């Protein structure tokens, strides 16, 4: 007799961790993996959890092992593998059964699958927190029909991360691709957070001559203050680690070419479609792309000479901290605005305060500041985060330092594209009379596109022909 509460396909890094988490929380789980040996060794190495794990060696066996109506999590690479698994499961499942794609799907694919009229129910679910999160408590962002989410929410809530106040980090975000969309923006913000930390590291290393150990100490200190976050914490650990082969600091032996799997890029692309400005995220994606062009950068350095110069006037560590705080707030304000824009464009009702809450634990961008962001968004989800009084005060405190850091970077050839992009956006955001009147004049001059006038009249044309 079927005894598993749920099934899972794909026992890779994330799937194995998630299956163990589910088994540990007391839900019998049936598992199947394309390579059978992986299933066998996963079960054999599961220790006491093995009694809650049903290893299966065919999809038919997997389906039979799960109580009906069934729920099956897919944890396979995004894209074709998901479509293939859905196709393979289709003839085996009943109409009432549910497939949950928990990989990093492009939310457009999830929308497509939801609209395709699959022969079973379907949820798209973003899971954040890496292997450790999946094993001990990820942040979970669900999308699809609410009734389908409710069917499995007791399991998802049980396995999710919990905040200090005991809130479970598992939330239904809305229809179709809403969960995968929120996960995508999460990843975009993750890129930006990481890039800004790397830029500040660059100023410490190349501008101030700090050793990796000193950098580690600074990040560790910051992790006790407003910047407390998983990413600052691990940056301290990375900077403090020594290479077992050479004994040098790990940072000094790691190649400076950043990898990426595409979710940051998807965020930047989608932001353009939504006309939602996320320049910090865009700069972070650009920076990863430039970083990977090592040969080109070597030619550049040979042609123009080494750029980074020591900061002759130094830079207070407190300025670097304040700049990072300001950059982070500006970046999150952009990310939440993008989520609002998507909510409107796709007819979702994405719950901004809930999104900030669900990111507070379990996921890679978890930080203490998300508590205050959740509070500010609860007061008024339609207001830009940097207009919330608490954040106005923080940004006012941080922006002067951000200016000093970006200016010092520009003057000394220390690239800090994400911090600079945040600052430029801030300067535009806070300038009631901008410079787009010139652009409108140019557009009308060459294309007769017309412009609105400050005195209220619209669709005017300039006297260009007369000139
Ligand atoms: P892994 O590469 O570790 O594992 C992939 C799994 O999918 C393996 O079990 C593999 O089986 C199986 N698989 C691969 N191709 C196919 C296919 N065509 N058909 C059926 N099964 C297939 O990947 P991860 O666990 O890291 O990632 C899984 C998903 O989770 C991805 O969408 C990823 O983007 C997402 N994710 C990953 C995170 C991470 O930190 N790693 C974080 C959050 C989400 P086999 O053993 O036979 O190769």
């Amino acid at each position: 007799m079927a005894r598993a509460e749920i099934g899972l396909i794909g026992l890779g890094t994330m799937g194995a961790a998630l299956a163990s988490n589910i088994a540990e929380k007391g839900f019998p789980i049936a598992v199947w993996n394309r390579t059978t040996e992986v299933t066998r060794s996963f079960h054999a190495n599961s220790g006491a959890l093995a009694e809650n794990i049903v290893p299966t060696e065919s999809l038919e066996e997997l389906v039979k092992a799960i109580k009906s109506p069934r729920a099956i999590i897919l944890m396979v690479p995004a894209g074709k593998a998901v479509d293939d698994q859905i196709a393979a499961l289709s003839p085996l499942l009943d109409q009432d059964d549910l497939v949950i794609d928990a990989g990093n799907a492009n939310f457009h694919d999830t929308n497509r699958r939801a609209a395709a009229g699959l022969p079973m129910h379907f949820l798209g679910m973003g899971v954040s927190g890496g292997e450790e999160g999946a094993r001990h408590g990820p942040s979970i962002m669900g999308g699809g029909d609410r009734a389908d989410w409710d069917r499995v929410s007791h399991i998802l809530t049980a396995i999710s991360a919990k905040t200090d106040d005991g809130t479970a980090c598992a939330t239904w975000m809305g229809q179709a691709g809403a969960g995968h969309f929120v996960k995508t923006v999460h990843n975009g913000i993750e890129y930006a957070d990481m890039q800004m930390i790397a830029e500040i590291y660059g100023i410490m290393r190349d501008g101030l001559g700090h050793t990796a150990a000193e950098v580690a100490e600074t990040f560790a200190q910051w992790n006790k203050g407003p910047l407390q976050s998983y990413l600052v914490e691990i940056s301290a650990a990375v900077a403090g680690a020594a290479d077992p082969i050479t004994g040098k600091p790990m940072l000094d032996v790691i190649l400076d070419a950043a990898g990426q799997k595409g979710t940051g890029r998807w965020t930047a692309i989608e932001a353009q479609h939504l006309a939602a400005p996320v320049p910090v995220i865009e700069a972070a994606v650009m920076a990863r792309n430039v970083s990977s062009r090592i040969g080109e950068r070597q030619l550049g350095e040979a042609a123009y000479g080494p750029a980074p110069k020591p900061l002759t006037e130094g830079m207070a560590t407190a300025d670097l901290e304040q700049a990072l705080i300001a950059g982070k707030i500006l970046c999150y304000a952009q990310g939440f605005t993008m989520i609002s824009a998507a909510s409107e464009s796709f007819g979702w009702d994405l719950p901004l305060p809930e999104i900030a809450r669900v990111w507070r634990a379990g996921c890679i961008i978890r930080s203490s500041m998300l508590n205050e962001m959740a509070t500010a968004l609860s007061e008024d989800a339609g207001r830009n985060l940097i207009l919330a009084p608490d954040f106005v005060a923080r940004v006012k405190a941080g922006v002067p330092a951000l200016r000093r850091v970006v200016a010092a970077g520009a003057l000394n050839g220390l690239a800090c594209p994400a911090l600079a992009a945040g600052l430029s956006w801030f300067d535009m955001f806070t300038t009631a009379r901008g410079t787009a009147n010139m652009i409108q004049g140019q557009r009308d001059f060459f294309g007769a596109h017309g412009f609105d006038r400050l005195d209220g009249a619209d669709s005017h044309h300039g006297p260009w022909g007369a000139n």
Side-chain angles (χ1 to χ4, degrees):
M1 199 167 87
R3 64 182 191 91
E5 294 276 336
I6 193 162
L8 183 140
I9 291 176
L11 290 168
T13 307
M14 291 294 283
L18 209 62
S20 299
N21 188 355
I22 292 171
E24 187 181 65
K25 299 301 177 303
F27 302 102
I29 180 166
V31 296
W32 178 81
N33 193 71
R34 182 181 61 174
T35 309
T36 301
E37 189 43 44
V38 173
T39 311
R40 289 182 189 157
S41 81
F42 171 69
H43 188 242
N45 295 320
S46 287
L49 297 180
E51 65 179 27
N52 261 349
I53 294 169
V54 185
T56 68
E57 302 198 356
S58 69
L59 283 180
E60 290 79 0
E61 202 188 329
L62 173 81
V63 167
K64 282 195 190 121
I66 308 165
K67 282 184 201 160
S68 181
R70 301 169 189 88
I72 299 177
I73 296 173
L74 299 183
M75 225 1 159
V76 298
K80 188 174 178 314
V82 173
D83 285 324
D84 289 350
Q85 282 307 314
I86 291 172
L89 284 168
S90 292
L92 305 175
L93 294 183
D94 297 329
Q95 260 186 348
D96 282 349
D97 292 340
L98 171 64
V99 169
I100 306 165
D101 175 15
N104 269 338
N106 184 315
F107 79 97
H108 286 298
D109 283 342
T110 309
N111 280 344
R112 168 177 59 77
R113 291 175 186 128
L118 298 176
M120 77 288 280
H121 293 240
F122 182 70
L123 285 176
M125 186 171 93
V127 176
S128 175
E131 183 180 14
E132 183 69 10
R135 177 64 186 85
H136 298 293
S139 174
I140 296 176
M141 295 145 262
D145 285 352
R146 177 75 208 217
D148 290 332
W149 171 264
D150 289 344
R151 257 169 68 176
V152 285
S153 66
H154 61 294
I155 300 178
L156 302 176
T157 303
I159 63 165
S160 72
K162 311 292 178 299
T163 60
D164 290 343
D165 62 11
T167 311
C169 294
T171 299
W172 178 76
M173 296 295 169
Q175 291 293 324
H180 276 139
F181 174 81
V182 173
K183 172 73 201 305
T184 298
V185 179
H186 163 285
N187 284 23
I189 291 175
E190 177 184 311
Y191 274 49
D193 256 346
M194 293 167 75
Q195 174 64 25
M196 288 187 286
I197 291 171
E199 290 172 12
I200 294 289
Y201 154 67
I203 291 178
M204 287 193 264
R205 184 190 69 182
D206 299 328
L208 301 171
H210 290 182
T211 62
E214 288 167 329
V215 170
E217 177 56 26
T218 302
F219 283 139
Q221 281 304 320
W222 290 352
N223 197 42
K224 296 176 186 156
L227 284 172
Q228 189 287 317
S229 61
Y230 174 69
L231 283 171
V232 169
E233 179 191 329
I234 67 164
S235 301
V238 168
D243 174 27
I245 299 170
T246 61
K248 291 179 181 171
M250 273 315 303
L251 276 177
D252 294 351
V253 298
I254 299 176
L255 190 72
D256 54 327
Q260 56 181 315
K261 287 190 176 163
T263 43
R265 187 187 315 134
W266 291 347
T267 311
I269 291 169
E270 203 54 42
Q272 294 289 346
H273 287 306
L274 291 165
V278 293
V280 183
I281 296 171
E282 287 165 353
V285 176
M286 176 280 290
R288 286 202 191 189
N289 293 337
V290 175
S291 81
S292 67
R293 294 170 167 254
I294 294 191
E296 205 170 74
R297 289 193 285 121
Q298 285 167 344
L299 291 174
E301 180 169 316
Y304 290 96
K309 307 259 184 339
L311 301 181
T312 45
E313 276 150 38
M315 174 71 66
T317 306
D319 265 4
L320 296 175
E321 183 182 20
Q322 280 300 325
L324 199 49
I325 292 171
K328 182 179 173 103
I329 296 169
L330 300 176
C331 165
Y332 279 66
Q334 294 163 13
F336 283 116
T337 303
M338 176 177 172
I339 292 172
S340 281
S343 201
E344 206 176 309
S345 176
F346 298 115
W348 292 328
D349 190 16
L350 295 172
L352 266 67
E354 276 306 309
I355 291 168
R357 277 189 205 105
V358 99
W359 289 348
R360 284 181 305 168
C363 67
I364 303 294
I365 63 170
R366 62 186 180 261
S367 72
S368 60
M369 211 188 285
L370 275 163
N371 284 316
E372 291 104 50
M373 291 183 184
T375 304
L377 292 165
S378 311
E379 288 161 6
D380 183 350
R383 173 183 61 192
N384 190 297
L385 186 67
I386 66 163
L387 296 179
D390 179 29
F391 283 95
V392 170
R394 288 163 195 253
V395 172
K396 274 188 177 166
V399 160
L402 181 59
R403 289 193 194 288
R404 286 191 285 276
V405 168
V406 169
L411 288 171
N412 293 279
L414 295 147
C416 35
L419 292 167
L423 181 60
S424 286
W425 172 81
F426 173 79
D427 285 334
M428 288 192 77
F429 185 86
T430 52
T431 301
R433 171 77 172 146
T435 56
N437 47 329
M438 171 58 93
I439 291 168
Q440 286 298 79
Q442 292 163 342
R443 292 178 71 241
D444 188 54
F445 191 105
F446 64 68
H449 294 294
F451 52 81
D452 296 344
R453 294 173 56 99
L454 279 173
D455 58 18
D458 54 11
S459 279
H460 267 257
H461 292 287
W464 324 123
N467 295 340

